[in-house]
Amino acid sequence: MGYSIQANTASGVEIDYFHYNSKETDRPLHKVLGVGYLKDQTRLTRPYSLGNLLEAKSKLMDISNTLGEQDFLDRAISEAKDSRKPIYITFN
C-alpha cells in the first residue's frame, strides 16, 4: 500500500509512475504539483501544462535532490514538449 502518482498523455498513454510508501510523510511531488495530502482511497486527476511542469521542477530542485522524482517530472516535461498538450497526472 502507499501513494502512487501516474502521468498520462491526453489520450491515456502512461508516461511514468512514481510510488511513495504509506509511511512516508514527506512527499515532495505532491507539494510541488500543488496537491495536498490525500486520504486513503482518494483519486485525483489534474491536467498540467508545460509551464506548470517546469515550475514544479524548479520547486522540486529547491526541496529535494531525489533522482526518481526528478526523472518523473523530466519524462512528463519531455512528453509535454513533444505533444504540445497537457499531461494528466493522477494521484491516489
Side-chain angles (χ1 to χ4, degrees):
M1 197 77 186
Y3 301 96
S4 64
I5 303 172
Q6 183 175 355
N8 295 317
T9 64
S11 59
V13 176
E14 184 178 325
I15 300 167
D16 203 2
Y17 177 86
F18 195 84
H19 184 267
Y20 287 112
N21 289 330
S22 59
K23 295 180 182 180
E24 287 207 45
T25 57
D26 186 35
R27 297 187 291 265
L29 282 175
H30 283 78
K31 289 179 186 175
V32 299
L33 292 170
V35 175
Y37 293 110
L38 301 173
K39 294 182 179 185
D40 290 337
Q41 305 301 320
T42 301
R43 185 180 191 116
L44 173 67
T45 301
R46 284 188 169 173
Y48 290 89
S49 68
L50 176 59
N52 298 137
L53 294 169
L54 290 170
E55 182 180 347
K57 172 88 187 246
S58 174
K59 289 178 184 177
L60 182 65
M61 298 300 284
D62 290 340
I63 64 171
S64 174
N65 265 342
T66 307
L67 293 177
E69 293 161 336
Q70 292 175 20
D71 287 344
F72 177 86
L73 286 178
D74 285 340
R75 288 187 181 119
I77 288 168
S78 178
E79 183 62 35
K81 284 180 181 177
D82 291 346
S83 69
R84 297 182 184 192
K85 294 184 180 179
I87 301 303
Y88 291 86
I89 299 181
T90 303
F91 302 86
N92 67 344

Coordinates of all heavy atoms in Angstrom, one line a residue:
M1 N 0.8 -1.2 0.0 CA 0.0 0.0 0.0 C 0.9 1.2 0.0 O 2.1 1.2 0.3 CB -0.9 0.0 1.3 CG -2.1 0.9 1.2 SD -3.3 0.1 0.2 CE -4.5 1.4 0.1
G2 N 0.3 2.3 -0.3 CA 1.1 3.6 -0.4 C 0.4 4.6 -1.2 O -0.8 4.5 -1.5
Y3 N 1.2 5.5 -1.8 CA 0.6 6.6 -2.6 C 1.3 6.5 -4.0 O 2.5 6.5 -4.1 CB 0.9 7.9 -2.0 CG 0.3 8.0 -0.6 CD1 1.0 7.8 0.5 CD2 -1.0 8.3 -0.4 CE1 0.5 7.8 1.8 CE2 -1.6 8.4 0.8 CZ -0.9 8.2 1.9 OH -1.4 8.2 3.2
S4 N 0.5 6.5 -5.0 CA 1.1 6.4 -6.4 C 0.7 7.7 -7.1 O -0.3 8.4 -6.9 CB 0.5 5.2 -7.1 OG -0.9 5.3 -7.3
I5 N 1.6 8.0 -8.1 CA 1.4 9.2 -8.9 C 1.7 8.7 -10.3 O 2.7 8.1 -10.6 CB 2.4 10.3 -8.6 CG1 2.2 10.7 -7.1 CG2 2.2 11.5 -9.5 CD1 3.2 11.7 -6.6
Q6 N 0.8 8.9 -11.2 CA 0.9 8.4 -12.6 C 0.7 9.5 -13.6 O -0.3 10.3 -13.5 CB -0.1 7.3 -12.9 CG 0.0 6.7 -14.2 CD -1.0 5.5 -14.4 OE1 -1.7 5.1 -13.4 NE2 -1.1 4.9 -15.5
A7 N 1.6 9.7 -14.5 CA 1.5 10.7 -15.6 C 1.0 10.0 -16.9 O 1.6 9.0 -17.3 CB 2.8 11.4 -15.8
N8 N 0.0 10.6 -17.5 CA -0.5 10.1 -18.8 C -0.6 11.2 -19.8 O -0.8 12.4 -19.4 CB -1.9 9.5 -18.6 CG -1.9 8.3 -17.7 OD1 -1.0 7.4 -17.8 ND2 -2.8 8.2 -16.8
T9 N -0.6 10.8 -21.1 CA -0.9 11.8 -22.1 C -2.4 12.0 -22.2 O -3.2 11.4 -21.5 CB -0.5 11.2 -23.5 OG1 -1.2 10.1 -23.8 CG2 1.0 10.9 -23.5
A10 N -2.8 13.0 -23.0 CA -4.2 13.3 -23.1 C -5.0 12.1 -23.7 O -6.2 11.9 -23.4 CB -4.4 14.5 -24.1
S11 N -4.3 11.2 -24.4 CA -5.0 10.0 -25.0 C -5.0 8.8 -24.0 O -5.4 7.8 -24.4 CB -4.4 9.6 -26.3 OG -3.0 9.4 -26.2
G12 N -4.4 9.0 -22.8 CA -4.4 8.0 -21.8 C -3.1 7.0 -21.8 O -3.1 6.1 -21.1
V13 N -2.1 7.3 -22.6 CA -0.9 6.5 -22.6 C -0.1 6.9 -21.4 O 0.2 8.1 -21.2 CB -0.1 6.8 -24.0 CG1 1.2 6.0 -23.9 CG2 -1.0 6.4 -25.2
E14 N 0.4 5.9 -20.7 CA 1.2 6.1 -19.5 C 2.6 6.6 -19.9 O 3.3 6.0 -20.7 CB 1.3 4.9 -18.7 CG 2.0 5.1 -17.4 CD 2.1 3.8 -16.5 OE1 1.1 3.1 -16.5 OE2 3.1 3.7 -15.8
I15 N 3.0 7.7 -19.2 CA 4.3 8.2 -19.4 C 5.3 7.7 -18.3 O 6.4 7.2 -18.6 CB 4.3 9.8 -19.3 CG1 3.4 10.3 -20.4 CG2 5.7 10.4 -19.4 CD1 3.1 11.8 -20.2
D16 N 4.8 7.8 -17.1 CA 5.7 7.4 -16.0 C 4.8 7.2 -14.7 O 3.7 7.6 -14.7 CB 6.8 8.4 -15.7 CG 8.0 7.8 -14.9 OD1 8.0 6.6 -14.7 OD2 8.9 8.6 -14.6
Y17 N 5.4 6.5 -13.7 CA 4.7 6.1 -12.5 C 5.7 6.3 -11.3 O 6.9 6.0 -11.5 CB 4.3 4.7 -12.6 CG 3.7 4.1 -11.4 CD1 2.3 4.2 -11.2 CD2 4.4 3.4 -10.4 CE1 1.7 3.7 -10.1 CE2 3.8 2.8 -9.3 CZ 2.5 3.0 -9.1 OH 1.8 2.5 -8.0
F18 N 5.2 6.9 -10.2 CA 6.1 7.0 -9.0 C 5.3 6.6 -7.8 O 4.1 6.8 -7.8 CB 6.5 8.5 -8.9 CG 7.6 8.7 -7.9 CD1 8.9 8.5 -8.3 CD2 7.4 9.0 -6.6 CE1 10.0 8.6 -7.4 CE2 8.4 9.1 -5.7 CZ 9.7 8.9 -6.1
H19 N 5.9 5.9 -6.9 CA 5.3 5.4 -5.7 C 6.0 5.8 -4.4 O 7.2 5.8 -4.3 CB 5.2 3.9 -5.8 CG 4.5 3.2 -4.7 ND1 5.1 2.8 -3.5 CD2 3.2 3.0 -4.5 CE1 4.1 2.3 -2.7 NE2 3.0 2.4 -3.3
Y20 N 5.2 6.2 -3.4 CA 5.6 6.5 -2.1 C 5.1 5.5 -1.1 O 3.9 5.1 -1.3 CB 5.1 7.9 -1.6 CG 5.8 9.1 -2.2 CD1 5.1 9.9 -3.1 CD2 7.1 9.4 -2.0 CE1 5.6 11.0 -3.7 CE2 7.7 10.5 -2.6 CZ 6.9 11.3 -3.4 OH 7.5 12.4 -4.0
N21 N 5.9 5.1 -0.1 CA 5.4 4.2 0.9 C 4.3 4.9 1.7 O 4.3 6.1 1.8 CB 6.5 3.8 1.9 CG 7.5 2.8 1.2 OD1 7.1 2.1 0.4 ND2 8.7 2.9 1.7
S22 N 3.5 4.1 2.3 CA 2.4 4.7 3.2 C 3.0 5.4 4.4 O 2.4 6.2 5.0 CB 1.4 3.7 3.6 OG 2.0 2.6 4.3
K23 N 4.2 5.0 4.8 CA 4.9 5.6 6.0 C 5.6 6.9 5.7 O 6.0 7.6 6.6 CB 5.9 4.6 6.5 CG 5.2 3.3 7.1 CD 6.2 2.4 7.6 CE 5.5 1.1 8.1 NZ 6.5 0.1 8.6
E24 N 5.8 7.2 4.4 CA 6.5 8.5 4.1 C 5.6 9.6 4.3 O 4.5 9.7 3.8 CB 6.9 8.4 2.6 CG 8.1 7.5 2.3 CD 8.9 7.9 1.2 OE1 9.2 9.1 1.0 OE2 9.2 7.1 0.4
T25 N 6.0 10.5 5.1 CA 5.2 11.7 5.4 C 5.6 12.9 4.5 O 4.8 13.8 4.3 CB 5.4 12.2 6.9 OG1 6.8 12.4 7.2 CG2 4.9 11.1 7.8
D26 N 6.8 12.9 4.0 CA 7.3 14.0 3.1 C 7.2 13.5 1.7 O 8.0 12.6 1.3 CB 8.7 14.4 3.5 CG 9.2 15.5 2.7 OD1 8.4 16.4 2.4 OD2 10.4 15.6 2.3
R27 N 6.2 14.0 1.0 CA 6.0 13.6 -0.4 C 6.2 14.8 -1.3 O 5.3 15.5 -1.6 CB 4.6 13.0 -0.6 CG 4.5 11.7 0.2 CD 3.2 11.0 0.0 NE 2.0 11.7 0.4 CZ 1.4 11.5 1.6 NH1 1.8 10.6 2.4 NH2 0.3 12.1 1.9
P28 N 7.5 15.1 -1.7 CA 7.8 16.3 -2.5 C 7.0 16.5 -3.8 O 6.6 17.6 -4.1 CB 9.3 16.1 -2.8 CG 9.8 15.3 -1.7 CD 8.7 14.3 -1.4
L29 N 6.7 15.4 -4.5 CA 5.9 15.6 -5.7 C 4.5 16.1 -5.5 O 4.0 16.9 -6.2 CB 5.8 14.2 -6.5 CG 7.1 13.8 -7.3 CD1 6.9 12.5 -7.9 CD2 7.4 14.9 -8.3
H30 N 3.9 15.7 -4.4 CA 2.6 16.2 -4.0 C 2.7 17.7 -3.8 O 1.9 18.5 -4.2 CB 2.0 15.5 -2.8 CG 1.5 14.2 -3.0 ND1 2.3 13.1 -3.2 CD2 0.2 13.8 -3.1 CE1 1.5 12.0 -3.4 NE2 0.2 12.4 -3.3
K31 N 3.8 18.1 -3.0 CA 3.9 19.5 -2.7 C 4.1 20.4 -4.0 O 3.5 21.4 -4.1 CB 5.1 19.7 -1.8 CG 4.9 19.2 -0.4 CD 6.2 19.4 0.4 CE 6.0 18.8 1.8 NZ 7.3 18.8 2.6
V32 N 5.1 20.0 -4.8 CA 5.4 20.8 -6.0 C 4.3 20.8 -7.0 O 4.2 21.8 -7.8 CB 6.8 20.5 -6.6 CG1 7.9 20.6 -5.6 CG2 6.8 19.1 -7.2
L33 N 3.5 19.8 -7.1 CA 2.4 19.8 -8.0 C 1.1 20.4 -7.4 O 0.1 20.3 -8.1 CB 2.2 18.3 -8.5 CG 3.3 17.8 -9.4 CD1 3.2 16.3 -9.6 CD2 3.4 18.6 -10.7
G34 N 1.2 20.9 -6.2 CA 0.1 21.6 -5.6 C -1.1 20.7 -5.2 O -2.2 21.1 -5.2
V35 N -0.8 19.5 -4.7 CA -1.8 18.6 -4.2 C -1.5 18.3 -2.8 O -0.4 17.9 -2.4 CB -1.8 17.3 -5.0 CG1 -2.8 16.3 -4.4 CG2 -2.1 17.5 -6.5
G36 N -2.5 18.6 -1.9 CA -2.3 18.3 -0.5 C -2.3 16.8 -0.3 O -2.4 16.0 -1.2
Y37 N -2.2 16.4 1.0 CA -2.3 15.0 1.3 C -3.7 14.5 1.1 O -4.7 15.0 1.5 CB -1.9 14.8 2.8 CG -0.4 15.2 3.0 CD1 0.0 16.3 3.7 CD2 0.6 14.4 2.5 CE1 1.3 16.6 3.9 CE2 1.9 14.7 2.6 CZ 2.3 15.8 3.4 OH 3.6 16.1 3.5
L38 N -3.7 13.4 0.4 CA -5.0 12.7 0.1 C -5.3 11.6 1.1 O -4.4 10.9 1.5 CB -4.9 12.1 -1.3 CG -4.6 13.0 -2.5 CD1 -4.4 12.2 -3.8 CD2 -5.7 14.0 -2.7
K39 N -6.6 11.5 1.4 CA -7.0 10.4 2.3 C -6.9 9.1 1.5 O -7.0 9.1 0.3 CB -8.4 10.7 2.8 CG -8.4 11.9 3.7 CD -9.8 12.1 4.3 CE -9.9 13.3 5.2 NZ -11.1 13.5 5.8
D40 N -6.8 8.0 2.3 CA -6.8 6.7 1.6 C -8.0 6.5 0.7 O -9.1 7.0 0.9 CB -6.8 5.6 2.7 CG -5.5 5.5 3.4 OD1 -4.5 6.0 2.9 OD2 -5.5 5.0 4.6
Q41 N -7.7 5.9 -0.5 CA -8.7 5.5 -1.5 C -9.2 6.8 -2.2 O -10.2 6.7 -2.9 CB -9.9 4.8 -0.9 CG -9.5 3.5 -0.1 CD -8.7 2.5 -1.0 OE1 -9.1 2.3 -2.2 NE2 -7.7 1.9 -0.5
T42 N -8.6 7.9 -2.1 CA -9.0 9.1 -2.8 C -8.1 9.1 -4.1 O -7.0 8.9 -4.1 CB -8.7 10.4 -2.0 OG1 -9.4 10.3 -0.8 CG2 -9.1 11.6 -2.8
R43 N -8.8 9.5 -5.2 CA -8.2 9.5 -6.5 C -8.4 10.9 -7.1 O -9.6 11.4 -7.1 CB -8.7 8.4 -7.4 CG -8.0 8.3 -8.7 CD -8.6 7.2 -9.5 NE -7.8 7.0 -10.7 CZ -7.2 5.9 -10.9 NH1 -7.3 4.9 -10.1 NH2 -6.4 5.7 -12.0
L44 N -7.4 11.6 -7.6 CA -7.5 12.9 -8.1 C -6.7 13.0 -9.4 O -5.5 12.6 -9.4 CB -7.0 13.9 -7.1 CG -6.9 15.4 -7.6 CD1 -8.3 16.0 -7.8 CD2 -6.1 16.2 -6.5
T45 N -7.3 13.5 -10.5 CA -6.6 13.6 -11.7 C -6.6 15.1 -12.1 O -7.7 15.7 -12.1 CB -7.2 12.8 -12.9 OG1 -7.2 11.4 -12.5 CG2 -6.4 13.0 -14.2
R46 N -5.4 15.7 -12.4 CA -5.3 17.1 -12.8 C -4.5 17.2 -14.1 O -3.5 16.5 -14.3 CB -4.6 17.9 -11.7 CG -5.4 18.2 -10.5 CD -4.6 19.1 -9.7 NE -5.4 19.6 -8.6 CZ -5.0 20.4 -7.6 NH1 -3.7 20.6 -7.6 NH2 -5.8 20.8 -6.7
P47 N -4.9 18.2 -15.0 CA -4.0 18.5 -16.1 C -2.9 19.5 -15.8 O -3.1 20.4 -15.0 CB -5.0 19.1 -17.1 CG -6.0 19.8 -16.2 CD -6.1 18.9 -15.0
Y48 N -1.7 19.3 -16.3 CA -0.6 20.1 -16.1 C 0.0 20.5 -17.5 O 0.3 19.7 -18.3 CB 0.5 19.5 -15.3 CG 0.1 19.3 -13.8 CD1 -0.6 18.1 -13.5 CD2 0.3 20.2 -12.9 CE1 -1.0 17.9 -12.2 CE2 -0.1 20.0 -11.6 CZ -0.7 18.9 -11.2 OH -1.2 18.7 -9.9
S49 N 0.1 21.8 -17.7 CA 0.7 22.4 -18.9 C 2.2 22.3 -18.8 O 2.8 22.0 -17.7 CB 0.3 23.8 -19.1 OG 0.9 24.6 -18.1
L50 N 2.9 22.5 -19.8 CA 4.4 22.5 -19.8 C 4.9 23.5 -18.8 O 5.8 23.2 -18.0 CB 4.9 22.8 -21.2 CG 6.5 22.9 -21.3 CD1 7.1 21.7 -20.9 CD2 6.9 23.3 -22.8
G51 N 4.3 24.7 -18.8 CA 4.7 25.7 -17.8 C 4.5 25.3 -16.4 O 5.4 25.5 -15.5
N52 N 3.4 24.6 -16.1 CA 3.2 24.1 -14.7 C 4.2 23.1 -14.3 O 4.7 23.0 -13.2 CB 1.8 23.4 -14.6 CG 0.6 24.3 -14.9 OD1 -0.3 23.9 -15.5 ND2 0.6 25.5 -14.3
L53 N 4.6 22.2 -15.3 CA 5.6 21.1 -15.0 C 7.0 21.7 -14.8 O 7.7 21.3 -13.9 CB 5.6 20.1 -16.1 CG 4.3 19.3 -16.3 CD1 4.3 18.5 -17.6 CD2 4.1 18.4 -15.1
L54 N 7.3 22.8 -15.6 CA 8.6 23.4 -15.4 C 8.7 24.1 -14.1 O 9.7 24.1 -13.4 CB 8.9 24.4 -16.6 CG 9.1 23.7 -17.9 CD1 9.1 24.8 -19.0 CD2 10.4 23.0 -17.9
E55 N 7.6 24.7 -13.7 CA 7.6 25.4 -12.4 C 7.7 24.4 -11.2 O 8.4 24.6 -10.3 CB 6.3 26.2 -12.2 CG 6.1 26.9 -10.9 CD 4.9 27.7 -10.8 OE1 4.1 27.8 -11.8 OE2 4.5 28.1 -9.7
A56 N 7.0 23.2 -11.4 CA 7.1 22.2 -10.4 C 8.6 21.7 -10.3 O 9.1 21.4 -9.2 CB 6.2 21.1 -10.7
K57 N 9.2 21.5 -11.4 CA 10.6 21.0 -11.5 C 11.5 22.0 -10.7 O 12.4 21.6 -10.0 CB 11.1 20.8 -12.9 CG 12.5 20.5 -13.1 CD 12.8 19.0 -13.0 CE 14.3 18.8 -13.0 NZ 14.8 18.1 -14.1
S58 N 11.3 23.3 -11.0 CA 12.1 24.3 -10.3 C 11.9 24.3 -8.8 O 12.9 24.3 -8.0 CB 11.7 25.7 -10.8 OG 12.3 26.7 -10.1
K59 N 10.7 24.1 -8.3 CA 10.4 24.0 -6.9 C 11.0 22.7 -6.3 O 11.5 22.7 -5.2 CB 8.9 24.0 -6.6 CG 8.3 25.3 -6.9 CD 6.8 25.2 -6.6 CE 6.0 26.5 -6.9 NZ 4.6 26.3 -6.8
L60 N 11.0 21.6 -7.1 CA 11.5 20.4 -6.6 C 13.0 20.4 -6.4 O 13.5 19.9 -5.4 CB 11.2 19.2 -7.6 CG 11.6 17.8 -7.2 CD1 10.9 17.4 -5.9 CD2 11.4 16.9 -8.3
M61 N 13.7 21.1 -7.2 CA 15.1 21.3 -7.1 C 15.5 22.0 -5.8 O 16.5 21.7 -5.2 CB 15.7 22.0 -8.3 CG 15.5 21.4 -9.6 SD 16.3 19.7 -9.7 CE 17.9 20.2 -9.9
D62 N 14.6 22.8 -5.3 CA 14.9 23.6 -4.0 C 14.6 22.7 -2.8 O 15.2 22.9 -1.8 CB 14.0 24.8 -3.9 CG 14.4 25.9 -4.9 OD1 15.6 25.9 -5.4 OD2 13.6 26.8 -5.2
I63 N 13.7 21.7 -2.9 CA 13.3 21.0 -1.7 C 13.8 19.5 -1.7 O 13.8 18.9 -0.6 CB 11.8 21.0 -1.4 CG1 11.0 20.3 -2.5 CG2 11.3 22.4 -1.2 CD1 9.6 20.1 -2.2
S64 N 14.2 19.0 -2.8 CA 14.6 17.6 -2.9 C 15.6 17.4 -4.0 O 15.5 17.9 -5.1 CB 13.4 16.7 -3.1 OG 13.8 15.4 -3.2
N65 N 16.6 16.5 -3.7 CA 17.5 16.1 -4.8 C 17.3 14.6 -5.1 O 18.3 14.0 -5.6 CB 19.0 16.3 -4.3 CG 19.5 17.6 -4.8 OD1 18.9 18.2 -5.7 ND2 20.5 18.1 -4.1
T66 N 16.1 14.1 -5.0 CA 15.9 12.7 -5.3 C 15.8 12.5 -6.8 O 14.9 13.2 -7.4 CB 14.6 12.2 -4.6 OG1 14.7 12.5 -3.2 CG2 14.4 10.8 -4.8
L67 N 16.6 11.7 -7.4 CA 16.6 11.5 -8.8 C 15.3 10.9 -9.3 O 14.9 11.2 -10.4 CB 17.8 10.6 -9.2 CG 19.2 11.3 -9.0 CD1 20.3 10.3 -9.3 CD2 19.3 12.6 -9.8
G68 N 14.7 10.0 -8.6 CA 13.5 9.4 -9.1 C 12.4 10.4 -9.3 O 11.6 10.3 -10.3
E69 N 12.2 11.3 -8.4 CA 11.2 12.3 -8.5 C 11.5 13.3 -9.7 O 10.7 13.7 -10.4 CB 11.1 13.1 -7.2 CG 10.5 12.2 -6.1 CD 10.7 12.8 -4.8 OE1 11.7 13.6 -4.6 OE2 10.0 12.4 -3.8
Q70 N 12.8 13.6 -9.8 CA 13.2 14.5 -10.9 C 13.0 13.8 -12.3 O 12.6 14.4 -13.2 CB 14.7 14.9 -10.8 CG 14.9 15.8 -9.6 CD 16.4 16.1 -9.4 OE1 17.2 15.9 -10.3 NE2 16.7 16.5 -8.2
D71 N 13.3 12.5 -12.4 CA 13.1 11.7 -13.6 C 11.6 11.7 -14.0 O 11.3 11.8 -15.1 CB 13.6 10.3 -13.5 CG 15.1 10.2 -13.5 OD1 15.8 11.2 -13.9 OD2 15.6 9.2 -13.1
F72 N 10.7 11.6 -13.0 CA 9.3 11.6 -13.2 C 8.9 12.9 -13.9 O 8.2 12.9 -14.9 CB 8.5 11.4 -11.9 CG 7.1 11.4 -12.0 CD1 6.3 10.3 -12.3 CD2 6.4 12.6 -11.9 CE1 5.0 10.3 -12.5 CE2 5.0 12.7 -12.0 CZ 4.3 11.5 -12.3
L73 N 9.3 14.0 -13.3 CA 9.0 15.3 -13.9 C 9.6 15.5 -15.3 O 9.0 16.0 -16.2 CB 9.3 16.4 -13.0 CG 8.4 16.6 -11.8 CD1 8.8 17.7 -10.9 CD2 6.9 16.8 -12.2
D74 N 10.9 15.0 -15.4 CA 11.6 15.2 -16.7 C 10.9 14.4 -17.8 O 10.7 15.0 -18.9 CB 13.0 14.6 -16.6 CG 13.9 15.6 -15.9 OD1 13.6 16.8 -15.7 OD2 15.0 15.1 -15.4
R75 N 10.4 13.3 -17.6 CA 9.6 12.5 -18.6 C 8.3 13.2 -18.9 O 7.9 13.2 -20.1 CB 9.4 11.1 -18.1 CG 10.6 10.3 -18.1 CD 10.4 8.8 -17.8 NE 11.6 8.1 -17.8 CZ 12.1 7.4 -16.8 NH1 11.4 7.4 -15.6 NH2 13.3 6.8 -16.8
A76 N 7.6 13.7 -17.9 CA 6.4 14.5 -18.2 C 6.7 15.7 -19.0 O 5.9 16.1 -19.9 CB 5.7 14.8 -16.9
I77 N 7.7 16.4 -18.6 CA 8.1 17.7 -19.4 C 8.5 17.3 -20.8 O 8.0 18.0 -21.8 CB 9.3 18.4 -18.7 CG1 8.8 19.0 -17.4 CG2 10.0 19.4 -19.6 CD1 9.9 19.5 -16.5
S78 N 9.2 16.3 -21.0 CA 9.6 15.9 -22.4 C 8.4 15.5 -23.2 O 8.3 16.0 -24.4 CB 10.5 14.6 -22.3 OG 10.9 14.2 -23.6
E79 N 7.4 14.8 -22.7 CA 6.2 14.5 -23.4 C 5.3 15.7 -23.7 O 4.8 15.9 -24.8 CB 5.4 13.4 -22.6 CG 4.1 13.0 -23.3 CD 4.4 12.3 -24.7 OE1 5.5 11.6 -24.8 OE2 3.6 12.4 -25.6
A80 N 5.3 16.6 -22.7 CA 4.5 17.9 -22.9 C 5.1 18.7 -24.1 O 4.4 19.3 -24.8 CB 4.5 18.7 -21.6
K81 N 6.5 18.7 -24.1 CA 7.2 19.4 -25.2 C 6.9 18.8 -26.6 O 6.6 19.5 -27.5 CB 8.7 19.5 -25.0 CG 9.1 20.4 -23.9 CD 10.6 20.4 -23.8 CE 11.1 21.3 -22.7 NZ 12.6 21.2 -22.6
D82 N 6.9 17.5 -26.6 CA 6.7 16.8 -27.9 C 5.3 16.9 -28.4 O 5.0 17.1 -29.5 CB 7.1 15.3 -27.7 CG 8.6 15.1 -27.6 OD1 9.4 16.1 -27.8 OD2 9.0 14.0 -27.2
S83 N 4.3 16.7 -27.5 CA 2.9 16.6 -27.9 C 2.3 18.0 -27.9 O 1.2 18.1 -28.5 CB 2.1 15.7 -26.9 OG 2.0 16.3 -25.6
R84 N 2.8 19.0 -27.2 CA 2.2 20.3 -27.1 C 0.8 20.2 -26.5 O 0.0 21.0 -26.8 CB 2.3 21.0 -28.4 CG 3.7 21.2 -28.9 CD 3.7 22.0 -30.2 NE 5.1 22.1 -30.6 CZ 5.5 22.9 -31.6 NH1 4.6 23.6 -32.2 NH2 6.7 22.9 -31.9
K85 N 0.6 19.3 -25.6 CA -0.7 19.1 -25.0 C -0.5 18.9 -23.5 O 0.6 18.5 -23.1 CB -1.4 17.9 -25.5 CG -1.9 18.1 -27.0 CD -2.7 16.9 -27.4 CE -3.1 17.1 -28.9 NZ -3.8 16.0 -29.4
P86 N -1.5 19.2 -22.7 CA -1.3 19.0 -21.2 C -1.1 17.5 -20.9 O -1.5 16.6 -21.6 CB -2.6 19.5 -20.6 CG -3.5 19.8 -21.7 CD -2.8 19.6 -23.0
I87 N -0.4 17.3 -19.7 CA -0.1 16.0 -19.2 C -1.1 15.8 -18.0 O -1.3 16.7 -17.2 CB 1.3 15.9 -18.7 CG1 2.3 16.1 -19.9 CG2 1.6 14.5 -18.1 CD1 2.1 15.2 -21.1
Y88 N -1.7 14.7 -17.9 CA -2.7 14.4 -16.9 C -2.0 13.5 -15.8 O -1.5 12.4 -16.1 CB -3.9 13.7 -17.4 CG -4.7 14.6 -18.3 CD1 -4.4 14.8 -19.6 CD2 -5.8 15.4 -17.8 CE1 -5.1 15.7 -20.4 CE2 -6.5 16.3 -18.5 CZ -6.1 16.4 -19.9 OH -6.8 17.3 -20.6
I89 N -2.0 14.0 -14.6 CA -1.3 13.3 -13.5 C -2.4 12.9 -12.5 O -3.2 13.7 -12.1 CB -0.2 14.2 -12.8 CG1 0.8 14.6 -13.9 CG2 0.4 13.5 -11.6 CD1 2.0 15.4 -13.4
T90 N -2.4 11.6 -12.2 CA -3.4 11.0 -11.3 C -2.7 10.7 -10.0 O -1.6 10.0 -10.0 CB -4.0 9.7 -11.9 OG1 -4.6 10.1 -13.1 CG2 -5.0 9.2 -11.0
F91 N -3.3 11.2 -8.9 CA -2.7 10.9 -7.6 C -3.7 10.0 -6.9 O -4.9 10.2 -6.9 CB -2.7 12.2 -6.7 CG -1.8 13.3 -7.4 CD1 -2.4 14.1 -8.3 CD2 -0.5 13.4 -7.0 CE1 -1.6 15.1 -8.9 CE2 0.3 14.4 -7.6 CZ -0.3 15.3 -8.6
N92 N -3.2 9.0 -6.2 CA -4.1 8.1 -5.3 C -3.2 7.4 -4.3 O -2.1 7.5 -4.3 CB -4.9 7.2 -6.1 CG -4.2 6.1 -6.8 OD1 -3.0 6.2 -7.0 ND2 -4.9 5.1 -7.2

